[in-house]
Amino acid sequence: MSNWIARLGRVRPRPPDIAAVLSLLAGAVIAFALASGLHDAERERARAEFLQRAETNYASVANSFSDVLVVLRASNALFEAMGVVDRVQFGAFVRPLMESHPYLDAVVFHRIVEAGGRSGYEAGQARLQPGFRIQERAQDGLAPAGARERYLVAEYIEPMNGYRDALGYDALSFEPQARAFEKALASGQPTASVLLPLLQYEGKLGVVMVMPVYRGGAVPFAAAARRAKVIGDTSVVLDVGDLVGRNLAGARLLGRAGTTIELAGMGKQGMQTAFRWDSMGWRARPAWHGWLGEEVFTVRHPFNVAGQRWELRLSGRSTDMGGGAAPLAVLVMGCLLSAALAAWVRMRTQRSGEVEALIERRTADLEQALGQTNLYLRAIEASANVVMLVNAREPGYPIEYVNPAFERMRGYSAAEAIGMRLFDAAEQEPEQAQVAELLQAMRERREGNATMRLRCKSGKELYADVYVAPVWEGEEEPGHFVITQYDVSTAKRYEAELEVRARYDTLTGLANRVLLQDRIEAAIALAGSDAVVWVAALDLDHFKYVNDTFGHNAGDEMLKAVATRAQAAVGRADTVARTGGDEFVLVLPGRADESEASATVQAVLKALAEPLRLHGQELVMTGSAGLAAWPADGIDAASLIQHAEVAMYRAKDLGRNAVQFYTSAMNARARERIALEGALRSALQQGEFELHYQPQVDLESGSVVGLEALIRWRHPILGMVRPDRFIHLAEETGLIVPIGSWVLRTACRQSREWQHAGYGTIRIAVNLSARQFAQPGLVREIERVLEETGLAPGCLEIELTESLMMEDVEGAIRTMGELKRMGVKLSIDDFGTGYSSLSYLRRFPVDVLKIDRSFVRDITSNEDDAAMVSAIIELARGLRMRVIAEGVETEAQLDYLKRRGCDEVQGHVYAQAASRQDVEAMLRNGRHVTPQTVTA
């Protein structure tokens, strides 16, 4: 035993085999080098994938804002094309746009309302939307707007559901919106507000994109002109978070973990976050992620939309971009293989089973990597957009791969496309500047993009957004370029259609105001120092009667005929434009003098005068025209058109169907007319109108039996304005309707007061204008006035002119019948000066014929006038009507009328039209008067 122990004590542990140690160290070094290289490759691949995701997200967000600008421009173009847009037309145009862009919160039309017109505007809108009022933001919602110089009022809103309470909201009451509107006016371009709290969604941030609407449709060049002509704006309200979220979700860009997407925009306090998507914390990270040297990638994309600054920020972990475990696996496998090799060297065949297990695990890892590659390839093949791979080292960049979308979009099969040079003539037009831009990007080995026209195999052309990016394959030069193509043909066609609508009249195909201004400026630019450019404004005479008689479809047919004839009558270098309604403008360059310009316009008028067959009847069109010359009458398009219109209105005043040249005196007359119109609009509110009354005397008794109410305008500066200066203007502007209502109510109230004062029953006569008589609620208004004032219907006499009743005979007979059944008296004023036939006169339920003063003036010296007056008196007696002679000024005229049996007279022989106080004095002294005893 002791020997064995002694022998054991002499045994030394065997040192490790040198070959096994060297094998282990060499394997570990090789494994570490492989793992390090693979880790770098994985990190670069993860960075490339992250940048690709970032570019895709940025493109989706930027395109969504571009789509919003398209909707804003489209809704604004509606006003530019049509001029006047009502609520129904606005809704019909906007709703399809909102259905195709569901992320839009609202589309709004705001109208500018001056402080002086607020009450009238609210009253008018309340008739359409009960309870309407101008509002502003308050702490607990909306409240009535305070007093300001002007308001920017939400008049049309789509969708109405959920936004009806916002009607009347004053955008100028909220400083961010007011600043956006002012910036849009100053720049002439669409402008976005800063981030602001949305009115209808508490706590949500959004923006409002604004584009002003101008009177006449065209955008003026100068800022001052834009401020003068602006009538409001179109706005698009966006919930930015909803917009970005919808677009990213719709593009399936929010489904992957490991990415943070944040959109920040300029707010009142600087850059504010409007949208945030954080998927970096979706899942717990394995501990080995930290061993791999995990890296967080970050990229920022600043961009600008309509003057608003945005910044898209994206972050992502390298380990969440796919892969990540491969370097560790290689390191572990390398170490295991090294250990196995060392053990094999030392133990040879004892570890062969472990080596086989390691090989199986490595094979599984390779199969997993191959499956991931196949997944990427499947995603490319399933893409709706074209993806191409071209060789970066070969001349002409030959195509090596195309996905199925290329075959669908371009018509070439994959076999036909592979090997084709990228910029072959069959691919696209080589002379395009966009091709040169992409080639430059490829030569500089960088990313690039361009929108270009592509040619398909069938010869069809399409527009596409083309993106090119180098594919780096571990070398200094890229081995390939990946190219994607997105078909944008539909958007291009839509853009082209909007451009046409913005520059051409949709009914006649003629140039509109925008293109007209360009044509005038081009003609001026091409004209020499001694040349003249003529601009003619042409307006159809009595076009309103065509619309009223035959309907608007017939009116449209007439306007098309006018456009065709006018274009045929002018030269090829001339321009014919339609600026609205029945208004046309001609641009006539190359005419040496007035005679040549006038001859061309006369030729147009002659062409218009050719009979036109319309709805089974032949109509003859006439027009009035005015001519202005550059540079004598104006140095720009706006002044030339304005002065030509001034001359055209002068032609209308002088009898129509004529041509007038502009003079400075006409401009002064037009300015006077504009000033008078402005004063007339405020005269009723300021109480500047008053009534005078002229007695109507019964010839048999000599008593005053009636009074005709005659309006007078006492202006604080102009003094007493004659009726012949403002009545015609009131008719043209439509102000005659409220003025006539005031006359009717005031005269009835005054007549009732005189009855209460004991002056007896006296008939009051009130004139009705053509516009008043055409009002649908006329009979109800007269009935309401009689009820309010307490005047008996038999004490009111309504005076109508012949021409007024003949515009719509059947309608006039119905209205007069209703008034007669009410008990109101009816008379025909200025009888004999119109064109009514006796057959119609017999059907009219009239009580009185009033002989016009033009017949009475010469009855004692002119046999024809005397015979006419006698005939009217006999006609009235036969139809059982009373006769009143107007303008009786001498006793000789009075004696003649008595002998012929005239019933009543009014005129200076008894009294001029007098004020209320003078008439009361006459009534207090008794109603019996004698010639020349009553003075005004």
Side-chain angles (χ1 to χ4, degrees):
M1 174 66 78
S2 59
N3 291 334
W4 184 84
I5 294 174
R7 193 164 55 250
L8 183 62
R10 291 194 298 271
V11 175
R12 296 287 187 269
R14 294 183 62 187
D17 190 355
I18 296 300
V21 172
L22 291 176
S23 298
L24 180 63
L25 291 176
V29 170
I30 293 172
F32 181 81
L34 288 174
S36 177
L38 186 58
H39 172 69
D40 291 339
E42 284 289 319
R43 182 175 58 190
E44 288 302 315
R45 185 199 59 76
R47 181 187 300 277
E49 181 177 346
F50 170 75
L51 292 177
Q52 183 178 5
R53 289 191 195 178
E55 286 296 327
T56 304
N57 281 275
Y58 168 69
S60 178
V61 172
N63 287 340
S64 65
F65 278 101
S66 297
D67 288 346
V68 174
L69 277 177
V70 170
V71 173
L72 177 61
R73 292 182 184 276
S75 60
N76 194 273
L78 175 66
F79 287 84
E80 184 175 347
M82 299 186 66
V84 177
V85 179
D86 60 29
R87 192 182 307 277
V88 175
Q89 292 169 331
F90 182 83
F93 185 85
V94 167
R95 280 192 291 273
L97 293 177
M98 298 194 69
E99 289 174 2
S100 60
H101 301 81
Y103 45 80
L104 295 180
D105 205 37
V107 181
V108 186
F109 167 63
H110 294 92
R111 184 181 299 280
I112 290 180
V113 177
E114 300 297 336
R118 173 176 178 175
S119 59
Y121 175 80
E122 287 181 330
Q125 290 297 315
R127 287 194 291 271
L128 301 175
Q129 296 289 336
F132 180 93
R133 58 182 178 178
I134 298 179
Q135 309 175 82
E136 63 183 15
R137 294 195 185 211
Q139 291 184 350
D140 54 349
L142 292 176
R148 281 185 289 278
E149 290 185 2
R150 65 174 184 172
Y151 309 85
L152 189 60
V153 184
E155 187 169 306
Y156 307 155
I157 300 179
E158 288 295 333
M160 285 291 288
N161 292 336
Y163 288 87
R164 191 176 301 276
D165 292 341
L167 283 174
Y169 167 64
D170 173 25
L172 294 183
S173 66
F174 193 46
E175 189 269 340
Q177 284 183 259
R179 188 165 62 246
F181 177 74
E182 289 298 325
K183 287 175 65 178
L185 274 183
S187 65
Q189 298 295 325
T191 303
S193 69
V194 298
L195 282 169
L196 49 79
L198 293 178
L199 186 63
Q200 298 296 104
Y201 299 97
E202 184 175 354
K204 283 194 174 184
L205 289 177
V207 295
V208 178
M209 291 190 181
V210 176
M211 190 170 182
V213 175
Y214 301 96
R215 186 181 301 107
V219 180
F221 292 140
R226 289 196 293 273
R227 294 183 180 278
K229 290 191 175 183
V230 68
I231 62 172
D233 69 42
T234 53
S235 303
V236 175
V237 182
L238 298 177
D239 179 347
V240 176
D242 187 45
L243 166 68
V244 176
R246 278 178 180 266
N247 276 276
L248 293 180
R252 299 183 178 178
L253 300 176
L254 297 181
R256 294 185 177 180
T259 303
T260 298
I261 305 172
E262 182 178 6
L263 178 67
M266 182 58 65
K268 295 181 68 175
Q269 308 299 326
M271 297 298 284
Q272 295 180 250
T273 299
F275 173 83
R276 181 178 173 83
W277 172 269
D278 186 359
S279 60
M280 293 180 67
W282 277 10
R283 60 186 179 191
R285 293 180 296 155
W288 50 264
H289 277 202
W291 305 342
L292 298 176
E294 180 183 73
E295 184 176 355
V296 176
F297 304 128
T298 302
V299 67
R300 296 171 180 262
H301 284 287
F303 60 100
N304 188 292
V305 179
Q308 163 69 315
R309 289 198 299 130
W310 299 94
E311 185 176 83
L312 185 66
R313 307 163 182 165
L314 300 103
S315 302
R317 291 193 297 259
S318 60
T319 53
D320 285 323
M321 296 295 110
L328 180 62
V330 169
L331 180 62
V332 171
M333 286 190 293
C335 292
L336 291 176
L337 287 172
S338 299
L341 179 62
W344 180 81
V345 171
R346 185 170 184 174
M347 302 178 66
R348 298 194 178 270
T349 60
Q350 295 181 1
R351 303 295 294 172
S352 60
E354 294 181 8
V355 172
E356 292 177 0
L358 289 174
I359 293 175
E360 290 177 359
R361 286 197 295 270
R362 178 60 176 164
T363 301
D365 290 338
L366 291 174
E367 289 177 350
Q368 181 181 2
L370 180 61
Q372 193 171 40
T373 302
N374 289 334
L375 179 63
Y376 293 153
L377 180 60
R378 177 56 185 156
I380 293 173
E381 291 181 343
S383 173
N385 299 308
V386 170
V387 179
M388 307 165 60
L389 197 65
V390 301
N391 193 320
R393 299 186 177 93
E394 295 292 330
Y397 304 108
I399 299 173
E400 293 187 356
Y401 168 80
V402 294
N403 69 342
F406 179 91
E407 300 179 2
R408 293 192 299 271
M409 183 186 297
R410 305 295 299 281
Y412 296 98
S413 66
E416 292 173 314
I418 293 175
M420 181 187 297
R421 292 191 303 171
L422 178 62
F423 294 105
D424 277 348
E427 180 70 16
Q428 56 266 316
E429 297 292 340
E431 70 273 10
Q432 293 187 68
Q434 293 83 354
V435 174
E437 182 178 338
L438 291 181
L439 281 171
Q440 183 67 22
M442 297 173 77
R443 283 193 289 267
E444 295 175 0
R445 304 301 189 253
R446 59 175 173 82
E447 296 180 1
N449 72 280
T451 300
M452 60 198 313
R453 187 173 66 254
L454 304 179
R455 183 182 299 136
C456 301
K457 181 180 180 181
S458 63
K460 173 186 174 184
E461 291 185 343
L462 56 85
Y463 283 90
D465 283 341
V466 181
Y467 294 82
V468 60
V471 180
W472 300 94
E473 301 172 1
E475 302 177 8
E476 293 184 359
E477 295 291 326
H480 294 83
F481 285 101
V482 62
I483 298 171
T484 56
Q485 297 175 351
Y486 304 86
D487 187 354
V488 294
S489 300
T490 301
K492 281 288 184 181
R493 284 194 299 271
Y494 184 59
E495 181 180 337
E497 182 179 350
L498 286 179
E499 178 67 18
V500 170
R501 291 188 178 185
R503 298 177 70 81
Y504 290 91
D505 177 50
T506 55
L507 175 64
T508 62
L510 298 176
N512 65 6
R513 283 189 179 273
V514 177
L515 185 55
L516 170 65
Q517 184 158 333
D518 291 345
R519 294 283 177 84
I520 295 176
E521 291 172 353
I524 292 173
L526 293 174
S529 58
D530 298 330
V532 179
V533 177
W534 294 91
V535 174
L538 188 150
D539 190 85
L540 298 183
D541 296 333
H542 306 298
F543 177 72
K544 179 179 181 297
Y545 296 139
V546 176
N547 273 340
D548 293 344
T549 304
F550 299 103
H552 288 280
N553 288 337
D556 290 346
E557 291 299 322
M558 176 173 281
L559 292 175
K560 292 178 184 177
V562 170
T564 302
R565 295 181 181 185
Q567 283 187 305
V570 300
R572 297 182 61 184
D574 302 331
T575 296
V576 181
R578 179 178 177 233
T579 57
D582 60 332
E583 300 169 0
F584 298 83
V585 174
L586 313 179
V587 183
L588 309 174
R591 272 64 175 183
D593 52 29
E594 291 87 344
S595 60
E596 290 187 14
S598 178
T600 301
V601 179
Q602 290 288 1
V604 173
L605 295 181
K606 182 178 179 181
L608 297 185
E610 291 293 327
L612 173 67
R613 194 74 178 176
L614 196 65
H615 285 220
Q617 295 191 29
E618 279 197 352
L619 302 179
V620 175
M621 296 180 290
T622 63
S624 302
L627 275 164
W630 175 87
D633 300 328
I635 60 174
D636 56 25
S639 60
L640 287 171
I641 294 172
Q642 177 187 354
H643 291 163
E645 289 176 345
V646 168
M648 179 266 291
Y649 285 121
R650 182 57 178 164
K652 282 184 174 292
D653 291 341
L654 295 177
R656 304 178 187 269
N657 194 24
V659 180
Q660 285 286 314
F661 288 89
Y662 170 78
T663 64
S664 56
M666 291 181 185
N667 199 34
R669 183 186 179 95
R671 292 181 182 276
E672 179 186 358
R673 173 191 172 94
I674 293 172
L676 192 63
E677 180 181 338
L680 186 61
R681 291 185 180 277
S682 61
L684 193 59
Q685 295 180 351
Q686 301 300 327
E688 296 173 6
F689 291 120
E690 60 185 54
L691 289 185
H692 284 200
Y693 304 88
Q694 187 169 36
Q696 295 172 335
V697 181
D698 182 80
L699 284 179
E700 184 176 349
S701 64
S703 298
V704 176
V705 293
L707 294 167
E708 181 178 3
L710 302 171
I711 191 169
R712 297 291 185 267
W713 180 12
R714 193 179 299 278
H715 191 274
I717 298 175
L718 302 176
M720 188 66 77
V721 183
R722 301 190 311 273
D724 59 356
R725 288 187 62 192
F726 69 86
I727 291 297
H728 181 67
L729 181 60
E731 285 275 5
E732 288 183 356
T733 59
L735 293 172
I736 195 67
V737 175
I739 292 174
S741 297
W742 177 85
V743 170
L744 176 66
R745 181 170 281 100
T746 303
C748 290
R749 183 182 298 113
Q750 183 60 68
S751 179
R752 183 58 177 161
E753 288 178 3
W754 283 332
Q755 290 181 19
H756 278 295
Y759 300 140
T761 301
I762 190 166
R763 185 181 70 243
I764 193 76
V766 177
N767 291 278
L768 284 190
S769 70
R771 285 210 179 194
Q772 278 183 281
F773 193 70
Q775 293 295 307
L778 172 67
V779 176
R780 179 66 189 112
E781 180 185 2
I782 294 175
E783 184 178 16
R784 185 166 54 250
V785 169
L786 292 174
E787 290 175 358
E788 291 174 1
T789 60
L791 185 67
C795 295
L796 174 62
E797 181 177 292
I798 299 297
E799 294 190 4
L800 309 169
T801 62
E802 290 179 86
S803 57
L804 175 153
M805 294 181 291
M806 293 305 294
E807 289 183 6
D808 179 10
V809 174
E810 297 302 326
I813 291 174
R814 286 194 300 271
T815 301
M816 294 168 71
E818 292 181 35
L819 292 173
K820 282 294 293 181
R821 286 189 291 274
M822 191 190 304
V824 174
K825 305 296 182 183
L826 299 175
S827 67
I828 298 181
D829 195 13
D830 302 333
F831 185 76
T833 61
Y835 48 86
S836 61
S837 67
L838 295 180
S839 61
Y840 285 128
L841 180 61
R842 185 180 50 172
R843 296 178 59 193
F844 291 147
V846 175
D847 301 289
V848 180
L849 293 182
K850 297 189 71 175
I851 304 174
D852 187 67
R853 64 181 65 247
S854 62
F855 297 118
V856 175
R857 183 174 56 247
D858 297 325
I859 56 174
T860 59
S861 59
N862 188 303
E863 294 182 358
D864 293 337
D865 287 347
M868 179 66 74
V869 170
S870 297
I872 294 173
I873 294 173
E874 290 299 327
L875 174 64
R877 184 176 292 112
L879 295 175
R880 295 180 296 280
M881 300 178 185
R882 294 195 338 274
V883 180
I884 300 178
E886 294 184 294
V888 182
E889 298 182 353
T890 67
E891 293 196 41
Q893 295 169 345
L894 190 62
D895 292 338
Y896 180 84
L897 293 169
K898 284 182 180 180
R899 290 197 306 271
R900 294 301 178 184
C902 183
D903 298 304
E904 300 174 18
V905 298
Q906 66 182 86
H908 294 179
V909 70
Y910 281 114
Q912 299 182 23
S915 65
R916 175 180 58 83
Q917 294 83 355
D918 291 337
V919 172
E920 283 184 3
M922 181 267 293
L923 294 176
R924 280 195 299 269
N925 295 329
R927 292 164 56 178
H928 185 81
V929 293
T930 58
Q932 299 298 323
T933 59
V934 178
T935 59

